[in-house]
Amino acid sequence: SLTSAPALLVPLYLARTWLMNCSSGLTRSLLNEHVDPTHRAKWNAAESVNIFSWSGSAVLGGFLIERHGYRATFRVTAALQTL
């Protein structure tokens, strides 16, 4: 089982995390390259809000866990992933 093999599980988790976050620099670069310089500040602010929303979802998940338990967070995540 994977849970009893941390030597395999930890590198897999790190690789997943790296792959999930590796596009942020590219996204910012493309955004700045293709947006008119007079509008870059607005679009960079919007991108920052998008990145910050991940923190907000963690807070929301904490409230959901506190009120309904861990299963509810997995159900909500599964429902959102199907959209």
Side-chain angles (χ1 to χ4, degrees), residues 13-34:
Y13 177 76
L14 290 175
R16 178 207 169 269
T17 304
W18 291 328
L19 289 171
M20 292 295 292
N21 295 324
C22 71
S23 65
S24 63
L26 180 61
T27 303
R28 183 68 57 115
S29 176
L30 288 171
L31 178 72
N32 286 325
E33 187 174 315
H34 293 286

Side-chain angles (χ1 to χ4, degrees), residues 56-79:
S57 67
V59 171
L60 182 62
F63 286 129
L64 191 61
I65 288 168
E66 187 176 279
R67 186 146 204 168
H68 300 286
Y70 283 98
R71 282 189 182 176
T73 60
F74 290 110
R75 287 182 183 133
V76 169
T77 301

Side-chain angles (χ1 to χ4, degrees), residues 2 4 7 9 14-16 36 40 42 45 53 55 72 76 79 81:
L2 280 176
S4 62
L9 190 60
L14 290 175
R16 178 207 169 269
D36 187 72
R40 281 187 190 157
K42 288 185 281 191
S53 68
S55 301
V76 169
Q81 291 293 324

Side-chain angles (χ1 to χ4, degrees), residues 28 44-60:
R28 183 68 57 115
N44 280 319
E47 179 68 14
S48 296
V49 169
N50 181 29
I51 292 168
F52 179 72
S53 68
W54 285 102
S55 301
S57 67
V59 171
L60 182 62

